[in-house]
Amino acid sequence: MGETVKLAAGRSYLAIPGPSVMPDQVLQAMHRASPNIYAGELIEMTHGLIPDLKRVARTCHEVAIYIANGHGVWEAALANVISPGERVLVPSGGHFSTGWAQMARGLGAEVELLEHDLHSTWDLAGIENSLKNDPEHRIKAVLAVHVDTSSSIRNDIAALRMLLDELKHPALLMVDCVASLGCDRFEMDAWGVDVMVAASQKGLMVPAGMGFVFFNDKAAEVRAAMPRVSCYWDWQPRVNPQEYYLHFCGTAPTHHLYGLRAALDLIHDEGMENVWARHQRLAQTIWAACEVWGQDGGSLRLNVTNPAMRSHAVTALHIGSPDGTRLREWLESNLGLTLGIGLGMASSTSPEWHGYFRLGHMGHVNGQMVMGLLGGIETGLQALKIPHGSGALEAAAKKMAEG
Ligand SMILES: *Cc1c(COP(=O)(O)O)cnc(C)c1O
């Protein structure tokens, strides 16, 4: 093995935390001529997407669809409820929380960013402190990332809602579910989330380019009281529009919509509870292998120590520089397996950056794919003579076989 025998031909596996693997059904649904955007089946089909999207988010409220990636819907959500000079509170859990905070600053908001270590969920006491220090309720929204894809921390959204209620603080609870929707359990209405943003290319298994802003009545009231909202981001004309054209403030993202139709069919045929349970078991299988690799002098570490705080969609790992990069590069060129780069844990110009990597296991992923992913990593560790505990694949198989 090694220098001469390459084993990368065959179907490759992009195991990065977004874009995720696309189902053949999605690809086939998109492979067609452009439909009429003024009349006909596209319009009916789009109407049918709305209730099915809401079922994924567990909400009976509204959803607006944007031609945008996750960054776009960050801005869309903020543009509807935050005016320049207004204040938002952002508990940080990694690269994506700080990214959303940055977006809010760009719109002129006053941002209070609560820094936190990147190995465990946010510090509720710190959030409580900030909310209590705001007796005049100047904080208009709390921007919370459910799963921060850089650290793979999963935050407790329901606990944050309880805290806001206990303190009788009226701030909107705005949640980024770009990584978690369709992977980690999320209950928009039951958890009292006012605004939620998601994008197409992760748990929803569609190419990047379409984003979603879900919002409830409280958020709609805040929007209605805004002095102005930029036309393109305004969510009002996008929900229940008089004309189809207004849904998207222009031409519909025709092919993405067909792809989304196929993806939502897959999700609802499987059932939300089953989708969540599958992601949970696949994640537990991955953790079981990672824990063994870290034994007997192995340096591999799961970024989040407490399993209850880990996402089921993505796993962030540290193995030490330069082995993270060596492993990724070896797997891609020798096995056709691509792992995610480390993000936000070390500066991309520092040598430590090469010590981190991530596994994406969101969306269209099943048991044999995860065993292939783990078998690939085991092979890379052996080929590169990176010290690691032995028996990881057996531990993974045992966990998966628990049924
Ligand atoms: C991927 C991701 C984003 C950004 O999405 P883009 O489509 O890359 O703009 C934002 N938040 C989280 C949690 C993500 O995982």
Side-chain angles (χ1 to χ4, degrees):
M1 214 51 234
E3 264 95 289
T4 49
V5 184
K6 296 279 189 196
L7 303 172
R11 179 169 287 210
S12 57
Y13 180 7
L14 185 69
I16 70 175
S20 66
V21 173
M22 283 184 278
D24 289 341
Q25 290 91 327
V26 170
L27 296 171
Q28 282 155 9
M30 297 180 77
H31 192 91
R32 63 172 74 218
S34 283
N36 187 355
I37 58 166
Y38 301 106
E41 75 165 30
L42 182 71
I43 291 160
E44 274 316 300
M45 192 198 63
T46 304
H47 291 154
L49 293 171
I50 304 298
D52 288 341
L53 278 169
K54 293 182 191 174
R55 278 166 73 202
V56 176
R58 299 281 182 134
T59 182
C60 62
H61 297 289
E62 303 286 359
V63 57
I65 306 177
Y66 292 86
I67 300 174
N69 60 13
H71 285 69
V73 287
W74 273 346
E75 178 149 334
L78 292 168
N80 276 278
V81 292
I82 303 292
S83 289
E86 292 184 330
R87 182 178 288 197
V88 299
L89 177 66
V90 188
S92 173
H95 181 79
F96 291 98
S97 336
T98 49
W100 203 4
Q102 189 61 31
M103 199 63 85
R105 260 187 223 111
L107 289 169
E110 235 182 77
V111 177
E112 183 180 347
L113 182 67
L114 296 178
E115 299 281 1
H116 186 55
D117 83 76
L118 299 181
H119 305 286
S120 56
T121 51
W122 54 40
D123 166 30
L124 265 186
I127 302 175
E128 180 172 356
N129 204 32
S130 291
L131 292 170
K132 278 186 172 158
N133 279 337
D134 181 39
E136 290 160 22
H137 296 158
R138 289 193 56 225
I139 296 171
K140 199 175 185 191
V142 181
L143 312 187
V145 175
H146 185 210
V147 165
D148 199 303
T149 323
S150 60
S151 58
S152 65
I153 294 168
R154 178 163 47 84
N155 287 302
D156 189 343
I157 301 297
L160 180 52
R161 164 46 67 199
M162 279 199 295
L163 178 63
L164 284 161
D165 288 352
E166 261 168 43
L167 299 175
K168 299 196 168 40
H169 198 294
L172 289 172
L173 176 54
M174 301 176 70
V175 180
D176 170 346
C177 286
V178 177
S180 55
L181 193 72
C183 307
D184 284 283
R185 176 181 293 277
F186 176 79
E187 310 258 5
M188 177 162 169
D189 292 354
W191 295 356
V193 172
D194 300 306
V195 178
M196 186 269 274
V197 300
S200 52
Q201 79 275 21
K202 297 190 184 177
L204 294 177
M205 311 179 290
V206 175
M210 199 161 53
F212 311 93
V213 178
F214 296 79
F215 59 94
N216 68 9
D217 297 346
K218 179 175 166 187
E221 278 167 29
V222 173
R223 158 66 193 92
M226 288 281 284
R228 67 179 173 86
V229 172
S230 57
C231 280
Y232 190 76
W233 292 134
D234 194 354
W235 67 39
Q236 275 181 351
R238 287 176 186 258
V239 296
N240 308 314
Q242 298 302 309
E243 280 173 59
Y244 184 72
Y245 209 63
L246 300 176
H247 247 303
F248 301 102
C249 196
T251 306
T254 49
H255 289 66
H256 278 70
L257 294 171
Y258 281 107
L260 181 63
R261 178 66 270 160
L264 290 171
D265 285 343
L266 285 168
I267 288 172
H268 292 308
D269 285 351
E270 185 178 357
M272 287 313 301
E273 292 291 342
N274 293 334
V275 168
W276 290 329
R278 170 169 54 84
H279 281 86
Q280 179 176 26
R281 178 50 53 90
L282 296 177
Q284 289 167 337
T285 301
I286 289 167
W287 306 338
C290 292
E291 268 151 24
V292 174
W293 282 323
Q295 294 165 5
D296 302 329
S299 58
L300 187 80
R301 296 285 175 270
L302 285 144
N303 183 55
V304 183
T305 323
N306 180 349
M309 300 178 177
R310 290 180 196 148
S311 166
H312 300 156
V314 51
T315 299
L317 294 155
H318 182 250
I319 195 169
S321 180
D323 286 341
T325 297
R326 285 175 72 218
L327 185 63
R328 280 193 301 102
E329 290 178 351
W330 191 90
L331 290 174
E332 185 162 72
S333 59
N334 289 276
L335 299 192
L337 171 62
T338 305
L339 310 183
I341 57 168
L343 199 59
M345 307 304 288
S347 150
S348 61
T349 51
S350 77
E352 289 91 90
W353 188 80
H354 298 286
Y356 295 91
F357 65 102
R358 291 173 303 155
L359 311 177
H361 34 100
M362 45 181 57
H364 196 58
V365 181
N366 62 21
Q368 58 92 10
M369 292 163 80
V370 161
M371 290 311 289
L373 168 66
L374 298 175
I377 295 171
E378 172 79 31
T379 310
L381 293 172
Q382 293 203 15
L384 297 170
K385 301 193 167 38
I386 297 172
H388 61 280
S390 61
L393 295 181
E394 197 179 343
K398 267 201 185 117
K399 177 47 84 179
M400 194 175 278
E402 276 176 18

